[in-house]
Amino acid sequence: MDILDSIILGVIQGLTEFLPVSSSGHLELGKAILGDQSVPEESLLFTVLLHFATALSTIVVFRKDIISILKGLLSFTWSEDTQFVSKIALSMLPAVIVGLLFEDQLEALFGGNILLVGAMLLVTAILLFFADKAKDTNKNVTFKNAFIIGISQAIAMLPGISRSGATISTSVLLGNDKTKAARFSFLMVIPLIFGKIAKDIIGGDLSLDGHNTIALSAGFIAAFLSGLVACTWMISLVKKSKLSYFAIYCAIVGVIAIGFTLLN
């Protein structure tokens, strides 16, 4: 993988991690279009690094919220911040369980399965369409909501289903405030990404040895910078109920991906 390809894929990851169009699905489509011939280990390493970059951009955008939450935790009381962190932890359980039990099966899906990506993009489009029609409220995410949203996040491990789209849509359809739904969606994935990276490093699954570190670094920086823009933009779009545009986009790309696969 050369530097230009890495930057292109980095921008794709940074934009699509927060915009509800499936970052994993677009990475697979991007690799297919660019003719990515990297071995599975390098492809996995690159994907993990790009997700790490977007996790860092989330931390930057929500730095005030995160600092406030950490201060609340240090008070050692059952405060709003402590409850929020508990909800985040609860929402992580489905994805952790699925990731541990079906890790190999999930990784096998990230091998240019364009037909699956196209079908799951259509599922994402349907979710976004219904979520866009939901009425806005001032309701906070409850513990029960957090677990249900976590199930959506686990399902979104499939390439083509947008994680942010699935979790925000689920939260909104449960009657939660759209802005709070977006905040919860973006913050809930941070522990999962860092946990995944820590697990892979400890297990020896990730190593920079023998890889093009310049290309990997270029992709990382591109994903981080584009992620900053997309995260801020997405919060504004959710407030304005503009999810239907992304529903149309996902439907179009999904149909094209399915058609391309069936005709080749």
Side-chain angles (χ1 to χ4, degrees):
M1 184 180 296
D2 60 32
I3 296 177
L4 180 60
D5 287 353
S6 295
I7 293 175
I8 292 174
L9 292 175
V11 171
I12 290 174
Q13 165 64 23
L15 293 177
T16 58
E17 174 64 27
F18 299 103
L19 302 182
V21 294
S22 178
S23 60
S24 59
H26 276 71
L27 277 179
E28 292 302 305
L29 293 175
K31 290 176 183 178
I33 293 172
L34 295 173
D36 177 26
Q37 300 297 321
S38 60
V39 295
E41 289 78 10
E42 183 182 54
S43 186
L44 174 61
L45 171 63
F46 186 66
T47 300
V48 171
L49 284 176
L50 294 188
H51 278 87
F52 179 53
T54 50
L56 288 180
S57 64
T58 307
I59 292 175
V60 172
V61 173
F62 288 98
R63 60 190 180 279
K64 293 181 180 179
D65 299 72
I66 294 173
I67 292 173
S68 174
I69 291 170
L70 292 176
K71 288 181 178 179
L73 287 177
L74 294 175
S75 67
F76 299 104
T77 60
W78 190 238
S79 62
E80 182 178 342
D81 291 320
T82 307
Q83 293 179 46
F84 184 82
V85 172
S86 299
K87 293 171 185 176
I88 291 290
L90 181 62
S91 73
M92 291 169 54
L93 287 179
V96 170
I97 293 172
V98 171
L100 291 175
L101 294 179
F102 303 102
E103 182 176 15
D104 293 338
Q105 291 86 341
L106 286 170
E107 289 181 1
L109 297 176
F110 290 83
N113 193 337
I114 305 304
L115 181 61
L116 175 63
V117 171
M120 293 303 100
L121 280 171
L122 294 182
V123 173
T124 296
I126 293 172
L127 280 173
L128 293 174
F129 176 79
F130 284 109
D132 195 60
K133 303 302 179 182
K135 295 181 179 180
D136 202 6
T137 68
N138 195 39
K139 181 182 175 183
N140 289 313
V141 176
T142 65
F143 281 95
K144 180 180 179 181
N145 291 164
F147 186 74
I148 296 174
I149 296 169
I151 294 175
S152 294
Q153 179 167 249
I155 296 174
M157 295 171 77
L158 294 171
I161 294 186
S162 166
R163 192 208 65 81
S164 63
T167 52
I168 292 175
S169 295
T170 299
S171 185
V172 170
L173 290 172
L174 288 171
N176 296 305
D177 176 80
K178 292 182 178 179
T179 302
K180 294 175 181 177
R183 175 175 178 262
F184 189 83
S185 171
F186 294 150
L187 291 176
M188 69 187 287
V189 75
I190 295 177
L192 280 178
I193 293 177
F194 280 92
K196 167 65 175 174
I197 292 173
K199 176 181 175 296
D200 289 342
I201 291 176
I202 294 173
D205 296 326
L206 294 181
S207 174
L208 294 176
D209 295 340
H211 297 308
N212 188 341
T213 54
I214 296 179
L216 292 175
S217 299
F220 180 91
I221 294 172
F224 174 75
L225 294 177
S226 57
L228 288 176
V229 176
C231 185
T232 305
W233 186 30
M234 184 58 190
I235 296 171
S236 174
L237 289 174
V238 172
K239 289 180 182 178
K240 298 175 181 177
S241 298
K242 300 294 184 180
L243 296 179
S244 60
Y245 296 120
F246 295 103
I248 295 172
Y249 171 81
C250 287
I252 293 174
V253 176
V255 170
I256 292 175
I258 293 173
F260 175 82
T261 304
L262 296 178
L263 295 175
N264 286 275

